Amino acid sequence: MDRAEVDSRIRSLIEPFNKKGVTITDDTTFAGDLEFDSLTVMDFVAAIEDEFDIIISMNQQAEIEKYGQLVDAVCKLADD
Amino acid sequence: MSEGISQPDQPEPHPGEGKDLFSKFDSLIGQRQALLDSGLEDPFNLVMEKVLSPTRAICNGRETILLGTYNYMGMTFDPEVVAAGQKALADFGSGTTGSRVLNGTYQGHRECEDALREFYGMDHAMVFSTGYQANLGIISTIAGKGDYVVLDIDSHASIWDGCALGNAEIVPFKHNDMEAMEKRLRRIPEEAGKLVVLEGVYSMLGDIAPLKEMVAVAKKYGAMVLVDEAHSMGFIGENGRGVVETAGVIDDVDFIIGTFSKSVGTVGGFCVSNHPKFEIMRLVCRPYVFTASLPPSVVATAATSIRKLMHGSNKRAHLWENSRTLHAGLKELGFQLGTDTPESAIIAVIMPDLERGAAMWEALLKEGLYVNLARPPATPANMTLLRCSLCAEHSSEQVETILDMFERAGKATGIIG
Ligand SMILES: Cc1ncc(COP(=O)(O)O)c(C=O)c1O
């Protein structure tokens, strides 16, 4: 799948979770900039998994700290 | 060794900064201090000076009704159980000083495993030193690299730690959400090994899992199923085998994990299974191999207690009655509860926040009632809970007394009107 398309779909999914309206770039961090707690992470990950019909295991989540890394990971998972 | 040129491989120490490994706990230390500075008794530092019975003790100098132990079936002072322990202590000594696979398996450990096999009607039983280690060992050993563990997000710490110790892919789903579980199972590669981990009773809110439906879904996707029945053994099900028994799925689950530290009334853990190759676990499961076995007195009390629990239907009936009375009474008083109807021997009272929860906990203690204060991050959805766990030895009068105490403490702290 095209990275730009994945990026735009994730951007619309993240909106309800981005309570402070942080400007999102590839370097935006989930824990630091977006202040996601573990419950938010679970709901957000579930939304992405459903959108792309993929699984992002906790092992994979542990490697993802920044928005750009998430987009890359989803591109790869959706292609497999 | 890296090939860095401008920087040494080892980070340079910054004098006076970030060297204390304990600095990561500073915010927790601060939160705890603030709670103590407000003058409350420390909820996590209670000492029972004397234990009078399964339901009464002297705590911090006061006679107290115990409503926060896991002594569901009140076996801790059962005369036959105590006598069995005393005899084993005298005959076999105070400890085994060895692993189950070397010099740590005595006749008593075998008898305890026989009792478990009979209790559950299963082919194999393996006794661990705690229930924590049973989950740690079984989950980390059977789910290896490339396999998937699918588990409820509200699982007990020992289940999460079993996942962390192993090398499988870990996939959690929303609490008791069958659709979320199924979606995840469907997306896992068909050829991958899958283990679904569920609990019969979830101990924070006292709610049960819809095991009939969930086990059927897991089987449909070819997953093995492990159910932790720590909080239901001896109480739920016609023979006390747990929620798997009530749901009619005991023959469909691959592993049941349990503990001796709750209804059985001592300490220890176990796994029972019908898997034909189960016995190999004794050689490959590290939390079984690399720790000392339970003392002879402990396995003797456990075996005696398990055999008595098989015939505990009168006690089970009284415990259900206690659970229903307390649940209805607390609801009537206006408390917010974790479940709409009583589903287990645990009734969770939801507090508005940690400060008022701690104040209510202390007010109850001063009334002479001990309950468990549970707080984030151990609780679902960051709730503060007062968790009440009932005992088959609580008399109906004690339950009425408990309700009076809740009413006075709830009004004094402004939690109910
Ligand atoms: C669901 C569950 N599993 C396992 C355990 C661990 O049991 P044990 O106390 O024997 O280590 C507990 C106890 O807290 C539990 O609640």
Side-chain angles (χ1 to χ4, degrees), chain A residues 3-70:
Chain A
R3 193 179 192 278
E5 190 198 331
V6 171
D7 180 283
S8 96
R9 279 161 72 178
I10 296 181
R11 257 171 218 279
S12 49
L13 287 175
I14 210 167
E15 234 166 77
F17 299 97
N18 184 5
K19 298 256 161 54
K20 291 191 173 159
V22 175
T23 309
I24 290 171
T25 70
D26 275 358
D27 285 328
T28 304
T29 61
F30 295 103
D33 300 331
L34 289 163
E35 298 175 17
F36 278 12
D37 61 13
S38 60
L39 289 174
T40 311
V41 168
M42 180 186 70
D43 289 340
F44 178 53
V45 168
I48 295 178
E49 287 177 330
D50 286 352
E51 172 78 13
F52 296 94
D53 200 22
I54 54 172
I55 282 189
I56 311 175
S57 71
M58 295 201 41
N59 322 44
Q60 290 163 322
Q61 288 171 36
E63 309 276 303
I64 300 171
E65 286 173 3
K66 295 179 181 168
Y67 178 79
Q69 294 171 326
L70 175 67

Side-chain angles (χ1 to χ4, degrees), chain B residues 397-408:
Chain B
E397 297 73 49
Q398 268 178 324
V399 177
E400 292 307 325
T401 307
I402 289 166
L403 283 168
D404 292 342
M405 290 168 160
F406 259 97
E407 180 168 17
R408 285 192 296 270

Side-chain angles (χ1 to χ4, degrees), chain B residues 70 129-135 155-159 199 201-203 228-231 257-262 266-269 387:
Chain B
Y70 297 129
S129 297
T130 65
Y132 177 88
Q133 281 165 302
N135 271 326
S155 293
H156 187 259
S158 56
I159 294 172
E199 292 180 32
V201 173
Y202 287 87
S203 63
D228 181 331
E229 293 276 13
H231 291 274
I257 295 275
T259 174
F260 300 159
S261 72
K262 308 194 193 304
T266 174
V267 65
R387 293 167 57 245

